[in-house]
PDB file of all heavy atoms in Angstrom:
ATOM      1  N   ARG A 422      -0.724   4.626  -0.971  1.00  0.00           N
ATOM      2  CA  ARG A 422       0.361   4.868  -1.916  1.00  0.00           C
ATOM      3  C   ARG A 422       1.585   4.018  -1.604  1.00  0.00           C
ATOM      4  O   ARG A 422       2.300   3.574  -2.496  1.00  0.00           O
ATOM      5  CB  ARG A 422       0.777   6.346  -1.875  1.00  0.00           C
ATOM      6  CG  ARG A 422      -0.283   7.319  -2.361  1.00  0.00           C
ATOM      7  CD  ARG A 422       0.270   8.733  -2.308  1.00  0.00           C
ATOM      8  NE  ARG A 422      -0.683   9.718  -2.797  1.00  0.00           N
ATOM      9  CZ  ARG A 422      -0.395  10.999  -2.893  1.00  0.00           C
ATOM     10  NH1 ARG A 422       0.798  11.446  -2.520  1.00  0.00           N
ATOM     11  NH2 ARG A 422      -1.305  11.850  -3.340  1.00  0.00           N
ATOM     12  N   ARG A 423       1.832   3.840  -0.318  1.00  0.00           N
ATOM     13  CA  ARG A 423       3.042   3.138   0.104  1.00  0.00           C
ATOM     14  C   ARG A 423       2.746   1.703   0.485  1.00  0.00           C
ATOM     15  O   ARG A 423       1.627   1.333   0.807  1.00  0.00           O
ATOM     16  CB  ARG A 423       3.681   3.857   1.300  1.00  0.00           C
ATOM     17  CG  ARG A 423       4.115   5.269   1.002  1.00  0.00           C
ATOM     18  CD  ARG A 423       4.966   5.804   2.136  1.00  0.00           C
ATOM     19  NE  ARG A 423       4.225   5.919   3.380  1.00  0.00           N
ATOM     20  CZ  ARG A 423       4.797   6.229   4.542  1.00  0.00           C
ATOM     21  NH1 ARG A 423       6.101   6.414   4.601  1.00  0.00           N
ATOM     22  NH2 ARG A 423       4.063   6.333   5.633  1.00  0.00           N
ATOM     23  N   GLN A 424       3.805   0.902   0.455  1.00  0.00           N
ATOM     24  CA  GLN A 424       3.703  -0.469   0.930  1.00  0.00           C
ATOM     25  C   GLN A 424       3.378  -0.458   2.430  1.00  0.00           C
ATOM     26  O   GLN A 424       3.863   0.390   3.173  1.00  0.00           O
ATOM     27  CB  GLN A 424       5.053  -1.179   0.715  1.00  0.00           C
ATOM     28  CG  GLN A 424       5.018  -2.675   0.889  1.00  0.00           C
ATOM     29  CD  GLN A 424       4.584  -3.384  -0.367  1.00  0.00           C
ATOM     30  OE1 GLN A 424       4.142  -2.751  -1.308  1.00  0.00           O
ATOM     31  NE2 GLN A 424       4.738  -4.696  -0.407  1.00  0.00           N
ATOM     32  N   SER A 444       9.026  -3.131   8.591  1.00  0.00           N
ATOM     33  CA  SER A 444       9.603  -2.737   7.318  1.00  0.00           C
ATOM     34  C   SER A 444       8.501  -2.560   6.293  1.00  0.00           C
ATOM     35  O   SER A 444       7.541  -3.321   6.261  1.00  0.00           O
ATOM     36  CB  SER A 444      10.595  -3.799   6.833  1.00  0.00           C
ATOM     37  OG  SER A 444      11.070  -3.477   5.537  1.00  0.00           O
ATOM     38  N   ARG A 445       8.635  -1.533   5.473  1.00  0.00           N
ATOM     39  CA  ARG A 445       7.701  -1.326   4.372  1.00  0.00           C
ATOM     40  C   ARG A 445       8.173  -2.008   3.096  1.00  0.00           C
ATOM     41  O   ARG A 445       7.454  -2.001   2.091  1.00  0.00           O
ATOM     42  CB  ARG A 445       7.500   0.170   4.116  1.00  0.00           C
ATOM     43  CG  ARG A 445       6.825   0.892   5.270  1.00  0.00           C
ATOM     44  CD  ARG A 445       6.477   2.313   4.893  1.00  0.00           C
ATOM     45  NE  ARG A 445       5.904   3.035   6.041  1.00  0.00           N
ATOM     46  CZ  ARG A 445       4.633   3.016   6.366  1.00  0.00           C
ATOM     47  NH1 ARG A 445       3.778   2.326   5.634  1.00  0.00           N
ATOM     48  NH2 ARG A 445       4.190   3.694   7.408  1.00  0.00           N
ATOM     49  N   ALA A 446       9.365  -2.566   3.117  1.00  0.00           N
ATOM     50  CA  ALA A 446       9.893  -3.262   1.942  1.00  0.00           C
ATOM     51  C   ALA A 446      10.228  -4.696   2.322  1.00  0.00           C
ATOM     52  O   ALA A 446      10.961  -4.929   3.282  1.00  0.00           O
ATOM     53  CB  ALA A 446      11.135  -2.550   1.415  1.00  0.00           C
ATOM     54  N   PRO A 447       9.734  -5.676   1.575  1.00  0.00           N
ATOM     55  CA  PRO A 447      10.079  -7.075   1.861  1.00  0.00           C
ATOM     56  C   PRO A 447      11.580  -7.311   1.701  1.00  0.00           C
ATOM     57  O   PRO A 447      12.261  -6.628   0.927  1.00  0.00           O
ATOM     58  CB  PRO A 447       9.283  -7.854   0.794  1.00  0.00           C
ATOM     59  CG  PRO A 447       8.198  -6.917   0.361  1.00  0.00           C
ATOM     60  CD  PRO A 447       8.782  -5.541   0.474  1.00  0.00           C
ATOM     61  N   ILE A 450      12.874  -7.867  -1.821  1.00  0.00           N
ATOM     62  CA  ILE A 450      12.924  -6.653  -2.639  1.00  0.00           C
ATOM     63  C   ILE A 450      14.088  -5.774  -2.202  1.00  0.00           C
ATOM     64  O   ILE A 450      14.756  -5.134  -3.023  1.00  0.00           O
ATOM     65  CB  ILE A 450      11.590  -5.897  -2.546  1.00  0.00           C
ATOM     66  CG1 ILE A 450      10.451  -6.771  -3.076  1.00  0.00           C
ATOM     67  CG2 ILE A 450      11.658  -4.599  -3.324  1.00  0.00           C
ATOM     68  CD1 ILE A 450      10.606  -7.210  -4.508  1.00  0.00           C
ATOM     69  N   LYS A 451      14.354  -5.727  -0.898  1.00  0.00           N
ATOM     70  CA  LYS A 451      15.531  -4.991  -0.422  1.00  0.00           C
ATOM     71  C   LYS A 451      16.806  -5.584  -1.009  1.00  0.00           C
ATOM     72  O   LYS A 451      17.704  -4.856  -1.454  1.00  0.00           O
ATOM     73  CB  LYS A 451      15.595  -5.041   1.102  1.00  0.00           C
ATOM     74  CG  LYS A 451      14.621  -4.138   1.821  1.00  0.00           C
ATOM     75  CD  LYS A 451      14.891  -4.174   3.318  1.00  0.00           C
ATOM     76  CE  LYS A 451      14.057  -3.179   4.078  1.00  0.00           C
ATOM     77  NZ  LYS A 451      14.358  -3.162   5.516  1.00  0.00           N
ATOM     78  N   TYR A 515       9.619 -13.424  -4.985  1.00  0.00           N
ATOM     79  CA  TYR A 515       8.747 -12.730  -4.032  1.00  0.00           C
ATOM     80  C   TYR A 515       7.310 -12.676  -4.541  1.00  0.00           C
ATOM     81  O   TYR A 515       6.363 -12.968  -3.799  1.00  0.00           O
ATOM     82  CB  TYR A 515       9.286 -11.317  -3.794  1.00  0.00           C
ATOM     83  CG  TYR A 515       8.343 -10.429  -3.026  1.00  0.00           C
ATOM     84  CD1 TYR A 515       8.083 -10.658  -1.678  1.00  0.00           C
ATOM     85  CD2 TYR A 515       7.696  -9.356  -3.646  1.00  0.00           C
ATOM     86  CE1 TYR A 515       7.206  -9.848  -0.969  1.00  0.00           C
ATOM     87  CE2 TYR A 515       6.826  -8.548  -2.947  1.00  0.00           C
ATOM     88  CZ  TYR A 515       6.585  -8.797  -1.611  1.00  0.00           C
ATOM     89  OH  TYR A 515       5.716  -7.998  -0.918  1.00  0.00           O
ATOM     90  N   ARG A 516       7.120 -12.297  -5.797  1.00  0.00           N
ATOM     91  CA  ARG A 516       5.775 -12.144  -6.351  1.00  0.00           C
ATOM     92  C   ARG A 516       5.156 -13.476  -6.763  1.00  0.00           C
ATOM     93  O   ARG A 516       3.941 -13.572  -6.909  1.00  0.00           O
ATOM     94  CB  ARG A 516       5.813 -11.228  -7.568  1.00  0.00           C
ATOM     95  CG  ARG A 516       6.131  -9.777  -7.238  1.00  0.00           C
ATOM     96  CD  ARG A 516       4.978  -9.110  -6.544  1.00  0.00           C
ATOM     97  NE  ARG A 516       5.243  -7.698  -6.270  1.00  0.00           N
ATOM     98  CZ  ARG A 516       4.453  -6.920  -5.563  1.00  0.00           C
ATOM     99  NH1 ARG A 516       3.350  -7.423  -5.039  1.00  0.00           N
ATOM    100  NH2 ARG A 516       4.750  -5.659  -5.349  1.00  0.00           N
ATOM    101  N   GLY A 580      12.524   2.163 -10.342  1.00  0.00           N
ATOM    102  CA  GLY A 580      12.352   1.207  -9.243  1.00  0.00           C
ATOM    103  C   GLY A 580      12.402   1.831  -7.867  1.00  0.00           C
ATOM    104  O   GLY A 580      11.781   1.313  -6.927  1.00  0.00           O
ATOM    105  N   MET A 581      13.107   2.960  -7.735  1.00  0.00           N
ATOM    106  CA  MET A 581      13.255   3.563  -6.408  1.00  0.00           C
ATOM    107  C   MET A 581      11.936   4.066  -5.840  1.00  0.00           C
ATOM    108  O   MET A 581      11.788   4.177  -4.620  1.00  0.00           O
ATOM    109  CB  MET A 581      14.258   4.721  -6.470  1.00  0.00           C
ATOM    110  CG  MET A 581      15.691   4.282  -6.695  1.00  0.00           C
ATOM    111  SD  MET A 581      16.861   5.657  -6.564  1.00  0.00           S
ATOM    112  CE  MET A 581      16.270   6.777  -7.822  1.00  0.00           C
ATOM    113  N   ASP A 582      10.967   4.390  -6.703  1.00  0.00           N
ATOM    114  CA  ASP A 582       9.701   4.946  -6.237  1.00  0.00           C
ATOM    115  C   ASP A 582       8.553   3.956  -6.300  1.00  0.00           C
ATOM    116  O   ASP A 582       7.399   4.345  -6.074  1.00  0.00           O
ATOM    117  CB  ASP A 582       9.349   6.199  -7.049  1.00  0.00           C
ATOM    118  CG  ASP A 582      10.283   7.360  -6.732  1.00  0.00           C
ATOM    119  OD1 ASP A 582      10.695   7.460  -5.570  1.00  0.00           O
ATOM    120  OD2 ASP A 582      10.584   8.155  -7.637  1.00  0.00           O
ATOM    121  N   LEU A 583       8.829   2.709  -6.610  1.00  0.00           N
ATOM    122  CA  LEU A 583       7.773   1.702  -6.579  1.00  0.00           C
ATOM    123  C   LEU A 583       7.355   1.438  -5.129  1.00  0.00           C
ATOM    124  O   LEU A 583       8.181   1.513  -4.214  1.00  0.00           O
ATOM    125  CB  LEU A 583       8.251   0.408  -7.235  1.00  0.00           C
ATOM    126  CG  LEU A 583       8.391   0.452  -8.758  1.00  0.00           C
ATOM    127  CD1 LEU A 583       8.956  -0.873  -9.272  1.00  0.00           C
ATOM    128  CD2 LEU A 583       7.059   0.732  -9.425  1.00  0.00           C
ATOM    129  N   PRO A 584       6.090   1.105  -4.888  1.00  0.00           N
ATOM    130  CA  PRO A 584       5.627   0.903  -3.508  1.00  0.00           C
ATOM    131  C   PRO A 584       6.411  -0.155  -2.739  1.00  0.00           C
ATOM    132  O   PRO A 584       6.554  -0.050  -1.520  1.00  0.00           O
ATOM    133  CB  PRO A 584       4.159   0.470  -3.705  1.00  0.00           C
ATOM    134  CG  PRO A 584       3.758   1.057  -5.012  1.00  0.00           C
ATOM    135  CD  PRO A 584       4.993   1.005  -5.862  1.00  0.00           C
ATOM    136  N   ALA A 585       6.907  -1.182  -3.431  1.00  0.00           N
ATOM    137  CA  ALA A 585       7.602  -2.265  -2.731  1.00  0.00           C
ATOM    138  C   ALA A 585       8.925  -1.821  -2.126  1.00  0.00           C
ATOM    139  O   ALA A 585       9.429  -2.457  -1.201  1.00  0.00           O
ATOM    140  CB  ALA A 585       7.839  -3.439  -3.681  1.00  0.00           C
ATOM    141  N   LEU A 586       9.521  -0.732  -2.619  1.00  0.00           N
ATOM    142  CA  LEU A 586      10.789  -0.235  -2.069  1.00  0.00           C
ATOM    143  C   LEU A 586      10.613   1.205  -1.594  1.00  0.00           C
ATOM    144  O   LEU A 586      10.806   1.513  -0.428  1.00  0.00           O
ATOM    145  CB  LEU A 586      11.898  -0.321  -3.114  1.00  0.00           C
ATOM    146  CG  LEU A 586      13.320  -0.062  -2.598  1.00  0.00           C
ATOM    147  CD1 LEU A 586      13.676  -1.065  -1.497  1.00  0.00           C
ATOM    148  CD2 LEU A 586      14.332  -0.162  -3.734  1.00  0.00           C
ATOM    149  N   ASP A 587      10.250   2.092  -2.522  1.00  0.00           N
ATOM    150  CA  ASP A 587       9.874   3.467  -2.190  1.00  0.00           C
ATOM    151  C   ASP A 587      10.896   4.152  -1.287  1.00  0.00           C
ATOM    152  O   ASP A 587      10.620   4.462  -0.131  1.00  0.00           O
ATOM    153  CB  ASP A 587       8.491   3.497  -1.549  1.00  0.00           C
ATOM    154  CG  ASP A 587       7.909   4.915  -1.544  1.00  0.00           C
ATOM    155  OD1 ASP A 587       8.391   5.738  -2.330  1.00  0.00           O
ATOM    156  OD2 ASP A 587       6.991   5.175  -0.760  1.00  0.00           O
ATOM    157  N   LEU A 588      12.076   4.414  -1.839  1.00  0.00           N
ATOM    158  CA  LEU A 588      13.093   5.144  -1.087  1.00  0.00           C
ATOM    159  C   LEU A 588      12.618   6.579  -0.832  1.00  0.00           C
ATOM    160  O   LEU A 588      11.752   7.088  -1.538  1.00  0.00           O
ATOM    161  CB  LEU A 588      14.406   5.140  -1.867  1.00  0.00           C
ATOM    162  CG  LEU A 588      15.049   3.763  -2.087  1.00  0.00           C
ATOM    163  CD1 LEU A 588      16.368   3.903  -2.814  1.00  0.00           C
ATOM    164  CD2 LEU A 588      15.252   3.037  -0.774  1.00  0.00           C
ATOM    165  N   VAL A 672      13.911   1.511   5.017  1.00  0.00           N
ATOM    166  CA  VAL A 672      12.508   1.490   4.581  1.00  0.00           C
ATOM    167  C   VAL A 672      11.807   0.255   5.113  1.00  0.00           C
ATOM    168  O   VAL A 672      12.443  -0.736   5.438  1.00  0.00           O
ATOM    169  CB  VAL A 672      12.411   1.538   3.030  1.00  0.00           C
ATOM    170  CG1 VAL A 672      12.950   2.840   2.537  1.00  0.00           C
ATOM    171  CG2 VAL A 672      13.118   0.360   2.390  1.00  0.00           C
TER     172      VAL A 672
END
Side-chain angles (χ1 to χ4, degrees):
R422 294 182 178 183
R423 298 191 295 173
Q424 192 85 350
S444 175
R445 295 188 184 274
I450 299 301
K451 284 186 174 183
Y515 170 70
R516 291 288 182 187
M581 290 187 301
D582 290 326
L583 288 177
L586 190 59
D587 196 19
L588 296 183
V672 295

